[in-house]
């Protein structure tokens, strides 16, 4: 009888379930405070430092994970900022002003002063319907900028690429332990 070490199989469905569970149960460690801007670890190339908290809040509202630190969101925003700096079509400063302008027009307050998540999401949905290039860039860019941060993967239950570990063919492809023999 061949004894095979059990390898947990990760497919899209289990990954999605893990991400949702991580978001609900807080599997990702939370860093205390939000010192990302104060200590200068993240600085925007295409906008003022005052825009960073607005953009971090927007990023958190776009892809909400309660236990992911603000530093991780700031790092994702900085990644998108680098893309903006390279293509020189838009700036994060303009985007933050656009977001604040939409929040003031719709809710009468700047985006950061909207205490209710529902109000902030309402503003974001308005920007989505308007099809602003900044909103599209943030929404699309955050997918890779946030979820490509390898240090966050364990909290999401994702073990990473399998290619370095032999690929799926040699790591669980034929582990059909759920079928009767």
């Amino acid at each position: 009888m061949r004894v095979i070490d059990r390898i947990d199989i990760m497919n899209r469905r289990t990954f999605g379930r893990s991400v949702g569970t991580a978001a609900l149960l807080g599997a990702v460690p939370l860093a205390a405070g939000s010192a990302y801007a104060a200590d200068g670890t993240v600085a925007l190339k295409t906008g003022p430092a005052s825009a960073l908290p607005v953009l971090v809040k927007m990023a958190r509202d776009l892809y909400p994970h309660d236990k992911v630190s603000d530093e991780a969101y700031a790092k994702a925003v900085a990644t998108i900022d680098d893309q903006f700096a390279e293509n020189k079509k838009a700036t994060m400063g303009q985007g933050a002003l656009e977001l604040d302008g939409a929040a003031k027009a719709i809710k009468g307050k700047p985006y950061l002063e909207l205490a209710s998540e529902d109000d902030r999401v309402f503003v974001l949905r308005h920007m989505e319907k308007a099809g602003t290039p900044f909103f599209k860039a943030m929404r699309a860019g955050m997918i890779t900028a946030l979820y490509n941060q390898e240090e966050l993967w364990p909290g999401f239950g994702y073990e990473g690429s399998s290619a370095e570990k032999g690929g799926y063919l040699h790591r669980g492809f034929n582990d059909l332990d759920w079928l009767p023999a």
Side-chain angles (χ1 to χ4, degrees):
M1 180 174 144
R2 196 171 97 182
V3 178
I4 300 173
D5 292 336
R6 179 174 171 76
I7 299 172
D8 291 329
I9 299 169
M10 179 68 68
N11 59 28
R12 286 187 303 173
R13 210 170 267 188
T14 56
F15 175 74
R17 195 174 322 135
S18 298
V19 169
T21 303
L24 292 174
L25 300 178
V28 178
L30 204 177
S34 36
Y36 56 86
D39 66 1
T41 54
V42 174
L44 295 176
K45 294 177 183 172
T46 64
S50 62
L52 187 59
V54 176
L55 298 169
V56 167
K57 181 66 92 177
M58 177 187 187
R60 183 175 288 283
D61 290 336
L62 285 172
Y63 296 94
H65 296 284
D66 290 339
K67 301 300 177 181
V68 172
S69 68
D70 280 350
E71 288 78 10
Y73 283 101
K75 189 175 173 183
V77 167
T79 301
I80 297 170
D81 182 49
D82 289 343
Q83 296 166 0
F84 278 26
E86 285 178 20
N87 66 24
K88 299 180 181 179
K89 290 183 180 174
T91 68
M92 294 301 245
Q94 290 170 337
L97 288 174
E98 184 179 309
L99 180 62
D100 270 341
K104 286 177 186 173
I106 296 169
K107 295 293 179 180
K109 295 179 180 178
Y111 191 76
L112 270 183
E113 292 181 17
L114 296 175
S116 167
E117 182 179 336
D118 290 340
D119 289 343
R120 292 190 308 270
V121 169
F122 186 80
V123 170
L124 291 176
R125 289 198 188 280
H126 175 78
M127 290 183 73
E128 180 183 24
K129 285 180 185 172
T132 65
F134 171 72
F135 180 83
K136 289 178 181 176
M138 281 292 285
R139 183 180 60 192
M142 283 300 296
I143 294 171
T144 53
L146 182 63
Y147 297 113
N148 278 353
Q149 294 182 42
E150 204 169 324
E151 60 273 10
L152 299 178
W153 292 354
F156 294 139
Y158 177 59
E159 62 186 33
S161 171
S162 69
E164 301 82 19
K165 301 170 187 166
Y168 291 117
L169 182 61
H170 302 293
R171 293 188 58 237
F173 181 74
N174 282 330
D175 293 347
L176 300 175
D177 56 356
W178 50 273
L179 283 177

